[in-house]
């Protein structure tokens, strides 16, 4: 199950549906206020969002599942597993957190308070959003409220230490990601009781765009353990 990055970026994972293999079912988390859930209120509290996702996932949990979360989705995936652990319900056997600092070192930057032009400039700097989207005024008027809600979730989120989860946890990161401090990625390991490791890929924050084959090969390798 793949957890989104910011805004409506479920498309980040759509190209995986075929190469990941017919023996793996790719599920994409759809947050309220976007896509088929466009009419719903945008969430701005990450922990409340994690509770809601956990309720939906575990109502239909299969015998064997894996979480993959990129950027904000990595923190969201961890919080969903924490909910499941506290409620003593089924947890994924593997969590892959990607393109994200350990939440205990999260930088609280109020990006949601920037003016539209400033926010678009920051998105351009971060990468991951196509230029034609950034330059489409009508489309950005639809996307910016979603982005503000996502950035507000991260800004308001406060990490708290809890008991380590039982799921194996692995960390994926881009070697040239300016938004992630690779020196601190090992801190993620304190969130699990199981073995885990750090895996580096060529690219920046959205290395998942250009490294699909390498990422999916590593995912299949980890899922086979």
């Amino acid at each position: 199950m793949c957890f989104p990055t910011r805004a409506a970026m479920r498309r980040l994972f759509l190209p995986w549906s075929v190469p990941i293999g017919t023996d793996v079912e790719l599920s994409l988390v759809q947050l309220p206020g976007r896509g088929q859930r466009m009419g719903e209120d945008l969430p701005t509290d990450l922990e409340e969002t994690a509770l809601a996702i956990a309720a939906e996932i575990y109502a239909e949990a299969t015998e064997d599942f894996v979480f993959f979360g990129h950027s904000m989705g990595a923190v969201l995936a961890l919080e969903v597993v924490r909910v499941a652990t506290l409620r003593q319900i089924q947890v994924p056997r593997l969590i892959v957190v990607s393109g994200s600092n350990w939440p205990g070192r999260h930088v609280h930057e109020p990006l949601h308070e920037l003016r539209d032009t400033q926010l678009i400039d920051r998105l351009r700097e971060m990468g991951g959003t196509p230029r034609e989207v950034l330059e489409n005024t009508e489309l950005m008027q639809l996307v910016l409220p979603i982005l503000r809600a996502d950035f507000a979730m991260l800004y308001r989120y406060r990490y708290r230490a809890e008991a380590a989860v039982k799921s194996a946890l692995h960390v994926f990161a881009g070697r040239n990601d300016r938004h992630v401090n690779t020196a601190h990625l090992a801190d993620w390991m304190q969130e699990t009781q199981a073995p885990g490791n750090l895996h580096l890929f060529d690219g920046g924050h959205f290395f998942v765009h250009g490294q699909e084959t390498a990422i999916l090969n590593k995912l299949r390798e980890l899922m086979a353990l």
Side-chain angles (χ1 to χ4, degrees), residues 187-198:
D187 291 338
W188 273 105
M189 293 301 107
Q190 64 191 283
E191 300 298 337
T192 179
Q193 302 174 26
N197 209 342
L198 168 62

Side-chain angles (χ1 to χ4, degrees), residues 3-6 68-78 96-98 154:
F3 288 73
T5 58
R6 59 179 186 249
F68 183 98
H70 185 77
S71 195
M72 181 186 77
V75 182
L76 195 53
L78 173 65
V96 177
V97 292
S98 170
L154 284 175

